[in-house]
Amino acid sequence: MKNTICIPIQAKSQKQAKIELKKAAKVADMAEIWLDHIRDLDIPDLLKNKPLPVICVCKKANEKGKFKGTSKQLIEVLFEAAKHGADYIDMPFANSELRTPNSELRTKLIISYHNFTKTPSTSVLLKKALEMHKKGADIVKISVMAKSLSDAIRIIALAKQLQSQKIPHILIAMGKKGILSRILTPTLGGTIMFAPLTKAKSSAPGQLSVNELKEAWSLLKT
């Protein structure tokens, strides 16, 4: 699955989340629903008759989310989403040892690592990616903050390394200095890239809008 665009949805209500899912279905391949943002969350109702494939995430404050429960409770929310038809669940790397997916679930597992302050060394990130893959991740996700263009280049190089090992990934260098990673890593074994409908609905720094990302990819094909 290459050049797959996923719309992040951080709606505050169930009703608004459903509206945004319909909008996403018109322009993108997937949607990422931040369950922790929805105040009147009803997972079975939310995922019933969803108009496109979805990734369900549930994040604490340390990952810019709003979930206030325990790590175990967070995992339970994600597994409820899996039981009710989420196509992917995104499990934080720090919590992934709490529970592994049941083999009967069709939901695929993304294990993610975020660093909002810097880009660790390539060796550190490669080690984390391999650990996530070993833990059973269908996709390994690494999102770090780029302080320079060289940080973005290192993430792009890491994508090439994981591609050579046939490890599906989502690799992102956040911030303005990391924009190049959002364009190029999907061409190097990346599976999904996040892009909001508009910049105002960005869920992370440096995200290109859907139209901007599509335009950038179209330039690569010419």
Side-chain angles (χ1 to χ4, degrees):
M1 180 170 47
K2 288 188 177 182
N3 290 12
T4 296
I5 295 179
C6 183
I7 304 286
I9 294 176
Q10 295 182 321
K12 294 180 180 180
S13 71
Q14 186 95 350
K15 180 180 178 180
Q16 187 60 37
K18 287 185 174 184
I19 290 171
E20 294 195 24
L21 280 172
K22 290 179 180 179
K23 290 180 180 179
K26 295 178 181 179
V27 296
D29 308 291
M30 303 183 71
E32 177 193 56
I33 308 175
W34 289 52
L35 301 176
D36 51 282
H37 278 240
I38 302 175
R39 295 169 182 167
D40 55 343
L41 179 64
D42 180 341
I43 288 175
D45 176 67
L46 180 64
L47 299 180
K48 184 180 180 181
N49 300 321
K50 60 188 186 325
L52 77 172
V54 301
I55 301 169
C56 285
V57 304
C58 187
K59 297 177 182 287
K60 292 186 174 184
N62 66 331
E63 290 193 337
K64 311 301 182 183
K66 297 181 179 295
F67 188 75
K68 299 186 184 301
T70 66
S71 295
K72 183 177 180 180
Q73 289 170 331
L74 184 151
I75 299 303
E76 292 303 318
V77 170
L78 290 175
F79 272 78
E80 183 182 357
K83 291 174 184 176
H84 290 284
D87 299 274
Y88 291 85
I89 56 172
D90 183 337
M91 188 181 296
F93 179 49
N95 298 339
S96 59
E97 73 280 358
L98 289 175
R99 186 174 171 190
T100 54
N102 297 324
S103 59
E104 66 269 17
L105 291 178
R106 296 182 180 180
T107 301
K108 292 185 178 180
L109 174 65
I110 298 170
I111 298 180
S112 59
Y113 164 78
H114 293 79
N115 190 314
F116 294 96
T117 59
K118 65 178 182 178
T119 299
S121 68
T122 301
S123 60
V124 167
L125 294 178
L126 178 60
K127 181 179 179 181
K128 288 184 182 295
L130 294 176
E131 287 179 9
M132 288 188 272
H133 183 61
K134 186 176 180 180
K135 285 187 175 188
D138 294 292
I139 300 175
V140 304
K141 179 185 177 186
I142 292 175
S143 186
V144 296
M145 183 59 70
K147 298 292 188 180
S148 65
L149 183 59
S150 62
D151 286 341
I153 297 299
R154 284 197 288 122
I155 293 301
I156 293 166
L158 178 61
K160 184 64 176 177
Q161 285 182 277
L162 296 185
Q163 182 186 41
S164 68
Q165 298 187 49
K166 298 182 179 180
I167 297 176
H169 59 77
I170 301 168
L171 298 184
I172 299 168
M174 294 182 286
K176 290 183 178 180
K177 299 290 179 65
I179 287 174
L180 195 60
S181 71
R182 296 181 181 275
I183 299 169
L184 294 183
T185 58
T187 71
L188 298 168
T191 54
I192 298 164
M193 188 49 63
F194 303 95
L197 288 169
T198 65
K199 288 291 187 68
K201 292 185 177 293
S202 295
S203 62
Q207 282 182 342
L208 298 170
S209 70
V210 171
N211 290 337
E212 289 173 333
L213 186 57
K214 287 181 177 180
E215 183 178 357
W217 282 344
S218 70
L219 293 174
L220 294 178
K221 296 177 182 179
T222 58

